[in-house]
Amino acid sequence: RKEVEQDPGPFNVPEGATVAFNCTYSNSASQSFFWYRQDCRKEPKLLMSVYSSGNEDGRFTAQLNRASQYISLLIRDSKLSDSATYLCVVNIGYGGSQGNLIFGKGTKLSVKP
Amino acid sequence: DADVTQTPRNRITKTGKRIMLECSQTKGHDRMYWYRQDPGLGLRLIYYSFDVKDINKGEISDGYSVSRQAQAKFSLSLESAIPNQTALYFCATSEPGTGAQETQYFGPGTRLLVL
């Protein structure tokens, strides 16, 4: 089983739609969780951390379910500028050859006019 | 000015050549990382360094070496480049900590083509 799994998509949605991505992780000792955004041919950038109680940043809401070991990202009122690949990232602590952050392969979102 | 810079941004080289990719940061972070990204495979860790005297192999270190010349500089070398090392290479930095403190800040990437 992969450490961090995501549906690669693409998710093609119209402007204004609500879209949700899920991510599952295998290491139950994982300590912290993040969503990164990566635009085409650009570097990944932190979108938001994910807290146990759930957290919201404008149109973006992140949820963590430790019991089921999954993380979600909800985007409301999608904008054209939301088109990107969204990476689920899990911190497993000092993980030897894995380092400390494990990146999912990403979910591609395309928002259409 | 960018906090994490990488040089060169693009490089074409031939099989068997030795090349070096350089990374510099002005964020004052102790931790630095080298990743490669390939279509469909996501980001994979090559090497990482938690401070100047600490170097650790990542999951795909074979064929690569690194040098941490200073807190601000972390170089990646391909001793004898081969075509399957064609990829997009990212350098990243972070602070030790928890939660958002663990954010990794990425450089703009180096596109490497090995012919």
Side-chain angles (χ1 to χ4, degrees), chain A residues 32 36 38 41 91 96-97, chain B residues 37 48 58-59 102 104 107 111:
Chain A
S32 48
Y36 277 66
Q38 185 174 21
R41 295 175 173 265
N91 187 321
S97 66
Chain B
Q37 188 172 41
Y48 63 104
E59 60 177 309
E102 298 166 297
Q104 288 196 5
R111 293 195 171 276

Side-chain angles (χ1 to χ4, degrees), chain B residues 35-54:
Chain B
Y35 294 91
R36 66 177 279 177
Q37 188 172 41
D38 300 271
L41 295 179
L43 283 164
R44 292 184 292 166
L45 185 63
I46 306 173
Y47 271 95
Y48 63 104
S49 169
F50 279 3
D51 64 45
V52 175
K53 297 180 181 179
D54 175 76

Side-chain angles (χ1 to χ4, degrees), chain A residues 33-50:
Chain A
F33 310 88
F34 310 88
W35 284 100
Y36 277 66
R37 169 191 169 130
Q38 185 174 21
D39 294 303
C40 187
R41 295 175 173 265
K42 300 287 188 181
E43 70 272 26
K45 293 183 179 179
L46 178 70
L47 177 66
M48 58 197 305
S49 301
V50 186

